[in-house]
Amino acid sequence: MDNYNNGQIPPWQNSNSGVPPYYTPPTRHPGSGFATASMVLGILAILSAFTGTVFPPLVCGGLSVILALLSKGNDRAMLPNAKVGVLTAVLGLVVNVLIVASAFLLLFTNPDMQKEFHDQLNYYYEYFYGESFDDAWDEMEDIYGGYR
């Protein structure tokens, strides 16, 4: 009988019966938090690669790979979340490099885009500093001497 007079105590609840319980809760791997963080950062690396920015995919992808390696610990095999984290980080980095390289290639090989970029540079330079970039460049050449 238990303390509440509810009948016999089942053998798995009796601490001195020597019978193991029918259900043991699963134990978590010590690095599963790192593996999950790695997967999330890898997904963020892919998403931020499509925004046209350079640094967020590099930071998220690099951290994702580092956390995936840290989640491994002394084990020989990586957790599935860590594998997904490494895969998505590498994919995000590759997409980032391809997008940035294609943007630079398009900018430096297309004369129309070069003209548009130069006009925008003059516009924003004049907006922020009160004179166009070409005027500021000529002034810097006068002060420091040009390469002519």
Side-chain angles (χ1 to χ4, degrees):
M1 291 260 189
D2 63 356
N3 293 337
Y4 300 106
N5 295 324
N6 290 329
Q8 289 287 51
I9 298 174
W12 62 85
Q13 289 181 353
N14 188 359
S15 60
N16 29 348
S17 69
V19 177
Y22 290 98
Y23 174 75
T24 57
T27 58
R28 292 187 60 181
H29 189 274
S32 64
F34 282 149
T36 304
S38 170
M39 183 179 66
V40 169
L41 284 171
I43 292 170
L44 284 176
I46 289 176
L47 293 177
S48 63
F50 288 111
T51 61
T53 57
V54 177
F55 297 113
L58 292 175
V59 171
C60 290
L63 285 175
S64 176
V65 170
I66 290 170
L67 289 175
L69 293 174
L70 286 175
S71 73
K72 188 175 145 184
N74 292 332
D75 295 342
R76 292 200 180 264
M78 285 182 136
L79 295 171
N81 284 354
K83 289 179 185 177
V84 170
V86 169
L87 178 71
T88 54
V90 169
L91 186 65
L93 291 172
V94 167
V95 167
N96 184 34
V97 167
L98 289 176
I99 289 175
V100 170
S102 65
F104 275 108
L105 184 68
L106 187 64
L107 177 66
F108 290 120
T109 58
N110 189 346
D112 294 334
M113 289 199 75
Q114 288 177 349
K115 173 79 171 111
E116 184 179 338
F117 176 74
H118 188 76
D119 292 343
Q120 285 182 358
L121 178 66
N122 278 330
Y123 173 76
Y124 284 113
Y125 203 88
E126 189 170 346
Y127 179 78
F128 286 112
Y129 299 111
E131 64 180 343
S132 70
F133 181 77
D134 292 333
D135 295 339
W137 186 262
D138 291 339
E139 187 177 322
M140 283 188 283
E141 280 184 339
D142 291 342
I143 293 172
Y144 299 112
Y147 288 106
R148 295 180 186 183

